[in-house]
């Protein structure tokens, strides 16, 4: 990895700022000052110091976002705002979204540069729970609970896996899925002759957005990272 990219990835500064640090002799590698910004290092072996203080490489990054409405889950888009516009670190660390939330869906969104873990978390075989709070245009019916538990068949013929549905009030419910097909929640309620008018993901696996304001992002704690593998 280039030395300037390594330092930029650690949020020591922008690529321009870390180039200046290197050229001004502020960076050393294995106790030798390096002034060439494209100097190649092995982040897992070489020791890098910023003015005598060692800085460490982290291979994988994990971010939790409380996604606001109006943003799409894409790295770039010419027409719409994306979740990557909300935090520069996400692009800096080459992150991607773990699954997708619709443009108007809010709540828990995990982003990482760990492709293997991401694949495992979105695989239906792993049966990772995703919990949604939804509001509908028509009153909810008790019969929905059993139909959803038995595996609802969508209008295109796809049969959903068994899921859990709890009626909170006349128009509000909590749905727990272990799969994530395209627009699945909305399509499920269309199949029930109803319509979802708002959708919020309350939990993804072990993660919630408790105390995280809408539109904000934070790195996971070590304990939260470990919980993703459980």
């Amino acid at each position: 990895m280039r030395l300037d990219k390594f330092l930029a990835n650690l949020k020591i500064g922008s690529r321009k700022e870390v180039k200046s640090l290197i050229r001004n002799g502020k960076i050393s590698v294995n106790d030798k000052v390096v002034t060439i910004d494209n100097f190649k290092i092995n982040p897992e072996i070489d020791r890098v110091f910023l003015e005598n203080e060692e800085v460490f490489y982290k291979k994988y990054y994990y971010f939790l976002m409380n996604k606001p409405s109006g943003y799409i889950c894409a790295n770039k888009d010419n027409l719409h705002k994306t979740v990557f516009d909300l935090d520069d670190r996400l692009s800096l660390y080459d992150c991607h979204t773990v699954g997708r939330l619709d443009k108007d869906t809010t709540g828990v969104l995990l982003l990482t540069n760990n492709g293997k873990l991401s694949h495992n978390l979105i695989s239906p075989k792993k049966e990772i729970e995703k919990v949604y709070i939804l509001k509908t245009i028509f009153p909810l019916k008790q019969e929905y609970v059993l139909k959803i538990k038995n595996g609802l068949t969508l209008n295109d013929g796809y049969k959903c896996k068994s899921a859990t549905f709890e009626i909170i009030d006349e128009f509000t419910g909590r749905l727990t899925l272990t799969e994530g097909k395209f627009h699945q929640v909305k399509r499920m309620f269309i199949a029930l002759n109803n319509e979802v008018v708002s959708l919020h993901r309350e939990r993804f696996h072990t993660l919630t957005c408790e105390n995280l304001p809408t539109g904000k992002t934070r790195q996971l704690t070590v304990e939260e990272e470990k919980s993703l593998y459980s």
Side-chain angles (χ1 to χ4, degrees), residues 11-213:
K11 289 292 286 182
I12 287 173
S14 66
R15 188 67 73 90
K16 181 179 179 180
E17 290 168 338
V18 299
K19 284 179 184 290
S20 178
L21 289 173
I22 295 168
R23 293 169 183 173
N24 288 324
K26 303 292 185 180
I27 306 296
S28 59
V29 178
N30 300 327
D31 298 323
K32 292 184 179 180
V33 174
V34 175
T35 57
I36 303 171
D37 46 54
N38 64 355
F39 184 84
K40 295 295 180 62
I41 66 167
N42 184 334
E44 298 187 17
I45 297 175
D46 294 323
R47 300 181 67 191
V48 181
F49 295 82
L50 169 59
E51 295 186 320
N52 300 318
E53 181 176 347
E54 189 169 7
V55 293
F56 297 93
Y57 172 75
K58 186 175 181 180
K59 186 174 183 179
Y60 295 123
Y61 292 86
Y62 306 88
F63 292 91
L64 174 66
M65 175 182 289
N66 189 348
K67 179 188 174 297
S69 179
Y71 290 80
I72 65 170
C73 291
N75 290 69
K76 292 182 179 179
D77 191 277
N78 293 327
L79 300 176
H80 306 285
K81 295 177 292 186
T82 83
V83 294
F84 288 84
D85 295 325
L86 295 169
D87 192 320
D88 292 339
R89 295 174 297 176
L90 303 174
S91 296
L92 184 63
Y93 297 135
D94 297 322
C95 290
H96 58 268
T97 63
V98 180
R100 291 172 180 265
L101 293 179
D102 295 341
K103 181 180 178 181
D104 57 348
T105 301
T106 61
V108 179
L109 181 64
L110 175 64
L111 303 100
T112 182
N113 63 339
N114 187 338
K116 183 177 181 180
L117 175 65
S118 179
H119 175 77
N120 286 337
L121 290 175
I122 63 177
S123 171
K125 295 180 181 179
K126 301 297 183 181
E127 297 193 334
I128 299 300
E129 287 190 344
K130 294 165 277 288
V131 183
Y132 297 88
I133 300 294
L134 58 91
K135 290 185 179 295
T136 55
I137 192 169
F138 301 119
L140 297 170
K141 299 178 181 180
Q142 193 62 39
E143 64 188 54
Y144 293 176
V145 176
L146 184 59
K147 287 184 176 181
I148 289 172
K149 181 179 180 180
N150 289 339
L152 193 65
T153 299
L154 304 183
N155 290 346
D156 62 0
Y158 175 78
K159 183 176 175 61
C160 300
K161 295 176 64 176
S162 175
T164 302
F165 185 62
E166 171 194 355
I167 296 176
I168 298 174
D169 62 35
E170 187 177 10
F171 296 96
T172 309
R174 177 180 283 109
L175 178 66
T176 302
L177 302 177
T178 56
E179 60 181 341
K181 299 297 181 181
F182 184 68
H183 295 318
Q184 182 170 345
V185 177
K186 295 175 182 178
R187 291 164 63 203
M188 287 174 70
F189 280 82
I190 289 174
L192 291 167
N193 297 313
N194 207 329
E195 182 181 344
V196 173
V197 293
S198 73
L199 187 61
H200 174 81
R201 186 152 71 183
E202 183 179 48
R203 176 167 64 84
F204 177 81
H205 194 20
T206 57
L207 303 176
T208 71
C209 282
E210 185 177 359
N211 300 321
L212 183 63

